[in-house]
Amino acid sequence: VSSVTTSSPSGAYAKFNSNGILQWHKSFTKDTTTYWRKLHNVKVLPNGNIVMAGAISESSNTRGLTYAVINSSGTIQYSFCKYVGSDTVANSMVVDSSSNIYTVMSPLRGSSYDGALYKHNSSLTEQFNVSITEGTPTGGTFIFGVELDSSGNIYMSGQARYSGAGYTTYGFGAFVAKADSSGNLQWSGWANAAVGSSSAPAVFQDLVVSSAGNVYGIGYSNNISGDGYASSGTYYALLVKYNSSGTYQHQRYWKSGG
């Protein structure tokens, strides 16, 4: 999935066979009220259809979510758009065994970015939406990754502005969070030494959940303390493990060249 590069782009999608040979390509065109449409995520549903998600703009500054479900021939079966907040983009998407679709984003609502989690069924009917606000609300919450476990629990990773508990005052800290299958928040965990500031953030860009329920957040920070790493303005790759209850286990850092 991508977007057709024009002054007002439309979403674009294509199918290739196992040898990389193009089978078809199509556009998810903008309509007369749409400034542009862009596709960012694609997943194959267990029922054989394909879901795509991205962003749509009705003006140069107003963004909303856009979804489409297509069949294996690329024909659109269902589609819809919804305004959630300014700067809305489908950051990540995951599907379950029943073809339900979970999407995370970070819309600007008023003066603050709030994390948001949406669930839709295979016909794109909304099942629920919840706001995820971590740490200090000032500055907002950004969610970049989403995963499911075998019980249908939902795990999210990202970045939020936070103070206290060893973090730089109003710095941006990396966090993971768990919600149940209805979207109710169960726990959240912050990277133990990945402190950040507005100019030196820590962030989890993605995560993975093991069969034992352990959660691993991956991302980066350029303001590391502890574990023998000095704060030097260098970006460090970051890996943090939590157990199934959200309790911090350990973390590892890497920097370029060592």
Side-chain angles (χ1 to χ4, degrees):
V1 294
S2 183
S3 59
V4 178
T5 305
T6 66
S7 58
S8 299
S10 299
Y13 54 100
K15 176 182 178 180
F16 300 84
N17 68 14
S18 58
N19 294 317
I21 298 173
L22 180 67
Q23 306 298 290
W24 47 254
H25 62 89
K26 300 187 179 185
S27 295
F28 187 14
T29 57
K30 65 187 189 67
D31 56 35
T32 56
T33 64
T34 303
Y35 188 74
W36 51 253
R37 188 194 307 269
K38 299 178 181 179
L39 298 173
H40 298 275
N41 293 276
V42 60
K43 297 289 182 181
V44 177
L45 298 172
N47 63 14
N49 288 331
I50 300 114
V51 60
M52 307 176 293
I56 194 170
S57 178
E58 295 182 352
S59 71
S60 59
N61 296 313
T62 303
R63 293 186 187 180
L65 286 176
T66 183
Y67 289 90
V69 171
I70 61 175
N71 62 20
S72 58
S73 299
T75 303
I76 293 177
Q77 308 297 295
Y78 313 98
S79 66
F80 89 100
C81 304
K82 179 176 182 177
Y83 177 76
V84 179
S86 300
D87 288 342
T88 301
V89 176
N91 289 333
S92 188
M93 180 172 63
V94 68
V95 300
D96 66 20
S97 59
S98 299
S99 294
N100 294 306
I101 303 152
Y102 304 80
T103 314
V104 291
M105 64 213 72
S106 308
L108 176 62
R109 292 168 171 161
S111 60
S112 181
Y113 287 90
D114 293 333
L117 166 68
Y118 276 73
K119 177 183 178 180
H120 297 85
N121 66 15
S122 59
S123 301
L124 295 181
T125 301
E126 186 177 306
Q127 306 299 292
F128 64 72
N129 74 82
V130 294
S131 294
I132 308 295
T133 302
E134 286 297 313
T136 303
T138 303
T141 301
F142 302 86
I143 301 179
F144 300 115
V146 61
E147 285 291 344
L148 304 174
D149 66 17
S150 58
S151 299
N153 295 305
I154 308 157
Y155 299 81
M156 296 159 283
S157 64
Q159 176 190 62
R161 205 165 192 184
Y162 187 78
S163 64
Y167 288 82
T168 304
T169 301
Y170 297 119
F172 286 90
F175 77 94
V176 295
K178 176 184 178 180
D180 64 20
S181 58
S182 299
N184 300 306
L185 190 65
Q186 304 297 294
W187 54 255
S188 62
W190 294 79
N192 188 48
V195 299
S197 67
S198 59
S199 61
V203 58
F204 286 140
Q205 294 185 302
D206 208 350
L207 76 165
V208 66
V209 184
S210 73
S211 59
N214 294 311
V215 183
Y216 300 84
I218 59 168
Y220 64 86
S221 175
N222 71 341
N223 191 8
I224 300 298
S225 64
D227 292 345
Y229 290 86
S231 175
S232 62
T234 300
Y235 280 97
Y236 292 85
L238 173 65
L239 169 66
V240 184
K241 177 183 178 181
Y242 305 87
N243 67 15
S244 58
S245 299
T247 302
Y248 165 83
Q249 303 297 291
H250 63 73
Q251 57 194 355
R252 299 290 183 268
Y253 306 101
W254 298 267
K255 67 176 181 178
S256 177

